[in-house]
Amino acid sequence: MSDEHADPPVTRRQTAALAIRAVANTIVWLGAWQGASFLFLVPAAWSSPNPPRNHRRPKHIMTTTATQTPDPYRLPRHVVPTHYDLRIEPDLHSHSFAGHEVVTLTVTEPTIDILLNATELDVSSATLSGENHQPLTGTVQMDNEHQRCRITFPAAVQPGTWKLHLAFRGTLNDKLRGFYRSSYKDDHGIAQSLAATQFEATDARRAFPCWDEPQFKAVFAVTLVIDPSLTAISNTRIVDDRHEGGKRVLRFAESMKMSTYLVAFIVGKLEATAPIMAQQTPVRLWSVPGKQHLTPFGHEIAVYSLNFLADYYGIPYPGDKLDLIAIPDFASGAMENLGAITFRETALLLDQRTATHAEQGRIADVVAHENAHMWFGDLVTMAWWNGLWLNEAFATFMEMLVVDAWKPEWDRWTAFGMARAAALSVDGLHSTRPIEFPVRAPKEAEAMFDVLTYEKGASVLRMLEQHIGPTVFRDGVRHYLTAHAYGNAETTDLWVSLGQASKQDVPALMNEWIFSPGYPLLSLALESSSTLILTQRRFTYAEASSPASSGTGAQRWQVP
């Protein structure tokens, strides 16, 4: 997400960075900071002779089965969705929507109830059907505190394949999350409405009952029933467009296997550019009427970046089309929904006659960032929210790579040094955090949308790329994406692929940078005319009262 990806290359991330730099400028340690900044992430001819203490794998939080103690934040694993047939009918006038879905389930052990995520929805009916089984009508109980829906059946559901039929209603909210309403004024000053989605991290459950965790990947077949005067967009191309009962019914092609937070649907009065092909993929930009003249710049970088990324990853774009949609009301900078990337208008639309260099760079960064997610995030997704950095840091790294290739005269990597400096400012605090840390409740992942995830994470990846070589690094990334395509992965999976490509112990090199806070300050001392002593310690603005209180006592980085 472009910071919320959201606005990472854009709003929230940039605002935080500016605030941090303003504070940092008041601190008198500038000289020491500059020295640490130079040493951080710049290839150097020194590395620690001792292996880092942090050679651990990130903890993978296991979910429960029917017989284990329930985890309030993780759904059981004995009922797994494989396919959603989803029909949504929004009413922009009443700010509401009605829905029906059929979820194909794999049940691995007998169970009397099914637990899934839902909140701010009225689930009116639940029926379970299976081949050679009598239909079972369930009783629905909502758990608002944990945003769950428990469906209890009169008899045990036996192992096998089942179809869960659910009818529900909801509100097009004004919270800029879930399925929400947006408004704008047209050229005549008349207020117009549209409906859009923003599901990352855990807001798909506000639009339809679902297994709203990254590891519950499934195929989605979306049908939108809308007013005939409106247009609708979803993740895939339209395969059927018909009128029924005074409504326009749009059926979209089945998606690839993906996580719920990547599902998207947008409904309103929208206009599209003519498609431009990026290899075999049609690429279009969408806006509200009257703003199509602002699309050419974003369209150009969208097509270029999709071509560049497909070549870099060595894997064709995984969708059947790519739409980039400018939304008048959008909380983030952009959101990487497969095939239907949503943007804040200022992160996609640009008047090239008056735009500044900074505005052009911002849009290029965000578009490239989101396109990078189509593979790194959508095709291969983090197993749980502790791995969010893997999505966002890599997309930030790739946006620099793409834009630097597109506009080499911009010298994008040099400019990135300013963003890296913002991360260093935060990371020099005793209260900083590691790039990756354990996440129990999904809400805790919201703390990861910051300069440490995006800028420090991208800087660490850039350091590794420069150390093992760009070609070897690319080969490792290709191996990682191919090995985990349509599935989920963790940080250690990336290290394995990069280690195989480079024939180096990547975990030993990288784990301290990822799983520990801070960064090292290297000191050189001349002991004699023939002896040079190199030492390291964690850099902080102020000395802690004790090594234990600062957590710096045993930290040791390998510096490539």
Side-chain angles (χ1 to χ4, degrees), residues 79-219:
V79 179
V80 177
T82 58
H83 186 281
Y84 291 79
D85 195 337
L86 183 63
R87 181 184 174 102
I88 300 288
E89 184 172 351
D91 186 335
L92 272 59
H93 298 290
S94 65
H95 300 158
S96 64
F97 63 91
H100 180 272
E101 67 180 335
V102 179
V103 188
T104 303
L105 304 173
T106 298
V107 178
T108 59
E109 60 184 75
T111 183
I112 198 71
D113 55 18
I114 292 176
L115 190 65
L116 65 161
N117 294 116
T119 188
E120 299 177 4
L121 294 174
D122 176 16
V123 182
S124 57
S125 68
T127 304
L128 196 63
S129 62
E131 189 174 351
N132 301 321
H133 293 282
Q134 289 294 323
L136 298 173
T137 300
T139 301
V140 178
Q141 181 181 8
M142 300 297 292
D143 178 358
N144 294 324
E145 180 183 357
H146 297 106
Q147 300 183 349
R148 289 176 166 184
C149 172
R150 183 180 298 275
I151 305 170
T152 305
F153 297 96
V157 179
Q158 298 301 315
T161 300
W162 294 81
K163 291 185 182 294
L164 177 64
H165 302 252
L166 298 173
F168 54 93
R169 301 189 66 86
T171 300
L172 293 173
N173 67 67
D174 58 359
K175 301 175 183 177
L176 302 181
R177 62 178 181 173
F179 196 16
Y180 71 92
R181 63 183 185 269
S182 174
S183 63
Y184 64 95
K185 290 187 177 180
D186 62 20
D187 291 339
H188 303 290
I190 300 174
Q192 302 287 346
S193 296
L194 60 80
T197 55
Q198 170 57 45
F199 289 162
E200 189 177 23
T202 57
D203 290 315
R205 65 191 67 178
R206 299 178 190 276
F208 58 98
C210 57
W211 281 254
D212 202 11
E213 297 179 13
Q215 274 194 309
F216 285 111
K217 284 192 164 187
V219 173

Side-chain angles (χ1 to χ4, degrees), residues 357-372:
H357 175 72
E359 290 169 333
Q360 293 179 17
R362 176 195 185 199
I363 288 176
D365 284 354
V366 179
V367 171
H369 183 113
E370 299 308 320
N371 280 357

Side-chain angles (χ1 to χ4, degrees), residues 407-438:
K407 296 286 187 183
E409 66 273 18
W410 287 4
D411 202 7
R412 198 64 190 86
W413 281 113
T414 300
F416 180 67
M418 288 297 295
R420 184 182 67 189
L424 287 169
S425 298
V426 172
D427 218 23
L429 298 169
H430 290 299
S431 58
T432 189
R433 63 164 178 83
I435 292 175
E436 178 174 330
F437 60 88

Side-chain angles (χ1 to χ4, degrees), residues 292-360:
Q292 280 291 291
H293 66 288
L294 304 177
T295 60
F297 183 86
H299 209 168
E300 181 183 350
I301 179 59
V303 172
Y304 178 90
S305 59
L306 203 68
N307 283 326
F308 179 97
L309 291 161
D311 291 339
Y312 183 90
Y313 293 135
I315 300 173
Y317 168 69
D320 60 10
K321 55 89 176 177
L322 180 60
D323 291 327
L324 294 84
I325 308 111
I327 306 295
D329 295 315
F330 198 72
S332 310
M335 176 61 211
E336 64 268 21
N337 314 302
L338 177 76
I341 306 173
T342 45
F343 292 79
R344 180 178 296 183
E345 287 187 328
T346 54
L348 182 62
L349 305 180
L350 180 77
D351 188 340
Q352 291 180 271
R353 299 170 301 173
T354 59
T356 65
H357 175 72
E359 290 169 333
Q360 293 179 17

Side-chain angles (χ1 to χ4, degrees), residues 29-42 420 424 519-524 539:
W29 48 262
L30 182 59
W33 176 85
Q34 286 175 329
S37 175
F38 174 78
L39 289 168
F40 183 58
L41 306 181
V42 177
R420 184 182 67 189
L424 287 169
Y519 56 91
L521 174 64
L522 309 184
S523 300
L524 291 75
F539 175 81

Side-chain angles (χ1 to χ4, degrees), residues 469-536:
T471 301
V472 173
F473 184 86
R474 182 204 63 195
D475 292 345
V477 169
R478 288 179 174 181
H479 180 274
Y480 168 84
L481 290 173
T482 301
H484 302 284
Y486 308 105
N488 300 84
E490 296 183 344
T491 298
T492 47
D493 297 313
L494 178 60
W495 292 168
V496 168
S497 293
L498 291 171
Q500 289 180 1
S502 64
K503 296 180 173 53
Q504 296 188 36
D505 189 352
V506 174
L509 174 66
M510 298 303 297
N511 277 355
E512 196 72 31
W513 296 96
I514 301 300
F515 299 116
S516 294
Y519 56 91
L521 174 64
L522 309 184
S523 300
L524 291 75
L526 190 62
E527 187 175 76
S528 66
S529 59
S530 60
T531 305
L532 186 64
I533 304 298
L534 293 157
T535 59
Q536 66 164 270

